[in-house]
Amino acid sequence: MEEHKKWLLEAIRISEQGFKMGKGGPFGAIIVKNGQVVGRGWNQVTSTMDPTAHAEVVAIRDACGFLKNFQLDDCIVYTSCEPCPMCLGAIYWARPKAIYYANTRDNAAAIGFDDSFIYDEIPKAVEDRSIPTIHIPCEEAWEVFKEWQNKSDKISY
Amino acid sequence: MEEHKKWLLEAIRISEQGFKMGKGGPFGAIIVKNGQVVGRGWNQVTSTMDPTAHAEVVAIRDACGFLKNFQLDDCIVYTSCEPCPMCLGAIYWARPKAIYYANTRDNAAAIGFDDSFIYDEIPKAVEDRSIPTIHIPCEEAWEVFKEWQNKSDKISY
């Protein structure tokens, strides 16, 4: 646990550094593989005008670029705050072996971030969500999926 | 509805173009504001080694860069497939006014994509998730949040 706490403190350190340099919100993340840091990220939403530039997403992109892989095999994500649903989704797609976090979604809500609200929205039926979400079934869309399915040289992820 | 279907067919068109050019999975998205396309994206996970490069995330980044804003005020997201939780989270952070989609998460699962599995994981208690997720409370992390809260010139998002 001492080892994990050490890496978590590093993620917390860059969460502070990032916001004090005016990069964005107070969030930091690092990705560690076999005891080595392979990716780092801090929130950059307001400085890069990118709502997806959360610490974990930035760290995943950094680590995947470094590892030249779209999977974080055998990696551990350390984040200064419980991932929001976007970041948690990103982590599931990247498939690391574990996640360690310090602050919680409730701590984030307490300082004005929507994490907890979005956690409530995601599992709702499409028609009950706060952003109007409309399904228009299109035969054309399913045709494209079928073409993908029949593609012999596709790279799955 | 004719107008919305038209934009959805454009998102479907780029979903096909993207995967046939070897960019990644069969997904496309466009973002429209006041009847104008302001952002476009297609899945680029396997070509850019970025697990976050889903169509919607790419389109949001494209539109926000174009609009020079981290919010998609008055924008509509058209996507060839129901957003996965990562993309839905990204959409909530970007705050467009509506989402239209064609294929569903079940259609995506039918051709081998994890969307439905991740939808099941997100609402679970942290300790019940398939990726081991460990909370280590750290006073240092909460101190950083408090510093953010006391920052007088912070940009909220």
Side-chain angles (χ1 to χ4, degrees):
Chain A
M1 196 51 76
E2 209 47 48
E3 169 85 359
H4 297 307
K5 176 88 184 245
K6 181 189 80 178
W7 293 123
L8 213 40
L9 287 174
E10 172 63 7
I12 294 164
R13 190 187 66 75
I14 63 176
S15 79
E16 182 176 13
Q17 191 178 55
F19 100 70
K20 289 192 172 168
M21 289 180 71
K23 300 298 185 186
F27 304 96
I30 60 169
I31 295 172
V32 173
K33 181 172 183 166
N34 302 329
Q36 306 270 357
V37 176
V38 293
R40 292 156 26 100
W42 48 90
N43 186 289
Q44 301 173 30
V45 169
T46 55
S47 60
T48 64
M49 299 299 165
D50 177 0
T52 73
H54 284 200
E56 297 93 327
V57 166
V58 174
I60 289 169
R61 295 168 59 104
D62 188 43
C64 287
F66 178 72
L67 298 169
K68 298 196 191 312
N69 195 336
F70 50 82
Q71 299 281 268
L72 292 177
D73 300 329
D74 296 317
C75 291
I76 300 179
V77 176
Y78 294 92
T79 173
S80 68
C81 185
E82 184 180 356
C84 81
M86 172 181 74
C87 293
L88 187 59
I91 290 168
Y92 269 85
W93 287 113
R95 305 185 181 92
K97 68 176 177 181
I99 306 166
Y100 287 81
Y101 67 97
N103 283 321
T104 66
R105 71 180 80 170
D106 293 330
N107 294 148
I111 63 160
F113 291 97
D114 272 351
D115 303 41
S116 191
F117 165 72
I118 301 175
Y119 266 106
D120 291 341
E121 285 285 305
I122 301 270
K124 285 185 182 171
V126 165
E127 59 275 17
D128 295 334
R129 297 211 187 113
S130 69
I131 298 178
T133 305
I134 298 98
H135 180 210
I136 303 181
C138 297
E139 190 51 43
E140 296 87 343
W142 179 240
E143 286 299 325
V144 175
F145 270 19
K146 280 197 294 191
E147 283 191 89
W148 167 265
Q149 213 169 12
N150 293 331
K151 183 174 155 70
S152 54
D153 61 343
K154 60 179 173 281
I155 303 170
S156 297
Y157 60 86
Chain B
M1 196 51 79
E2 210 45 49
E3 170 85 0
H4 296 306
K5 176 88 184 247
K6 182 189 81 178
W7 293 124
L8 214 37
L9 288 174
E10 173 62 7
I12 294 164
R13 190 186 67 74
I14 64 176
S15 79
E16 182 176 14
Q17 192 179 53
F19 100 71
K20 289 191 172 167
M21 290 180 72
K23 300 297 185 186
F27 305 97
I30 61 168
I31 295 171
V32 173
K33 181 172 183 164
N34 301 330
Q36 305 269 359
V37 176
V38 293
R40 290 157 26 102
W42 47 90
N43 186 291
Q44 300 172 31
V45 169
T46 54
S47 60
T48 63
M49 300 298 166
D50 177 0
T52 74
H54 285 201
E56 298 93 325
V57 166
V58 174
I60 289 169
R61 295 169 60 104
D62 189 40
C64 286
F66 178 71
L67 297 170
K68 301 199 190 309
N69 194 336
F70 50 81
Q71 299 281 268
L72 292 176
D73 301 326
D74 296 316
C75 291
I76 300 178
V77 176
Y78 295 92
T79 173
S80 68
C81 185
E82 184 179 355
C84 80
M86 173 181 73
C87 292
L88 186 58
I91 290 168
Y92 269 85
W93 287 113
R95 305 186 180 91
K97 67 176 178 182
I99 306 166
Y100 288 81
Y101 67 96
N103 282 321
T104 66
R105 71 182 79 171
D106 293 329
N107 294 148
I111 64 160
F113 291 97
D114 273 351
D115 303 42
S116 192
F117 165 71
I118 300 175
Y119 266 105
D120 291 341
E121 286 284 306
I122 301 269
K124 285 184 183 172
V126 165
E127 58 274 19
D128 295 334
R129 298 212 187 111
S130 70
I131 298 179
T133 305
I134 298 98
H135 179 211
I136 303 182
C138 297
E139 189 53 41
E140 295 87 342
W142 179 240
E143 287 297 327
V144 174
F145 270 19
K146 279 197 293 189
E147 282 192 90
W148 167 263
Q149 213 170 12
N150 293 331
K151 183 175 155 72
S152 55
D153 61 343
K154 60 180 175 280
I155 303 171
S156 296
Y157 60 86

